[in-house]
Amino acid sequence: MTETIPLTPQTGKPDSSDGPGARLPLRLVDLILIVALAVGALMAFRLLISPREVTTATVVALLIGQNAVLLAIVWLVAMVYRGATLRQLGFIPASASWYRRVVPIAIFLQIVVILTNVLISLWMGKPFENPQIPLIMPDPSDWGAMAGMFVATVIVAPVVEELTLRSVLYGWLRKHSAPIVAAGISAAAFAALHGSLVLLPGTFLVGLTLAWTYERSGSILPGMLVHGCFNAISTLLVFGVAIAQPA
């Protein structure tokens, strides 16, 4: 069954009737259910690995496992229970110009985040330390671990996080509020998801940019590519540092 898109805007709030999420059939209770199930799954994963030695393989398994569970939750609640279509979730082609902007936007975000971290370092009066780097930095001789980490951070995480935080959360918020409000709340959730106070400013700015990309392009695909490219640059920089370190 195909979805019919009306040629004229539907009645409703003037600032959200034609934006992302305008026809998303989700309710507030669905968002609460998704969040509750996701938090429960995350805590279960943390408890599962807490007594074990944390290796690169463990981190890769945790990242892929968490995202697989989150993807299943969104699929069950949004698509199976509420009947949302891929089109309603933003999986539609964007104009070619947006795909040409992916790499420049990702590089711009890297520069913004680096400058933000420098300012935080100056304000704190000590070198900036990213708590995520020790987790994703593999043994440089373990190419399998490096490949697994690259797939987890560059492909799996961006797809699932954009589906959850932009397609679902931003889409629902955009349906009921102005774009700036929806972008701010979804960016704050994106920053909180990364679980570190020192990373909040940088990840919040990244979240705002990804929400803007979804809003302006009308498709979730450019945001997924920007997110993946941003993570690819970050991950490759970490790998470069790991390889350059003396044995």
Side-chain angles (χ1 to χ4, degrees), residues 152-175:
T153 59
V154 177
I155 299 176
V156 178
V159 169
V160 177
E161 289 179 8
E162 290 308 300
L163 173 63
T164 306
L165 295 170
R166 249 63 65 179
S167 294
V168 173
L169 180 58
Y170 178 82
W172 184 88
L173 290 167
R174 181 66 176 85
K175 186 176 181 179

Side-chain angles (χ1 to χ4, degrees), residues 90-105:
F91 286 88
I92 57 177
S95 65
S97 63
W98 277 102
Y99 300 109
R100 292 194 295 268
R101 298 174 192 174
V102 166
V103 174
I105 292 175

Side-chain angles (χ1 to χ4, degrees), residues 73-155:
I73 291 171
V74 172
W75 176 72
L76 287 171
V77 176
M79 301 188 72
V80 176
Y81 179 56
R82 286 300 181 191
T85 64
L86 289 175
R87 185 176 183 85
Q88 290 171 332
L89 290 169
F91 286 88
I92 57 177
S95 65
S97 63
W98 277 102
Y99 300 109
R100 292 194 295 268
R101 298 174 192 174
V102 166
V103 174
I105 292 175
I107 294 174
F108 171 76
L109 280 176
Q110 282 289 339
I111 295 172
V112 169
V113 170
I114 290 172
L115 292 176
T116 301
N117 293 343
V118 169
L119 292 175
I120 292 174
S121 177
L122 293 174
W123 177 69
M124 296 176 64
K126 61 180 182 180
F128 181 87
E129 295 183 359
N130 187 335
Q132 291 185 342
I133 289 180
L135 291 176
I136 68 173
M137 182 177 288
D139 181 344
S141 64
D142 191 345
W143 292 98
M146 294 177 72
M149 184 64 72
F150 191 83
V151 170
T153 59
V154 177
I155 299 176

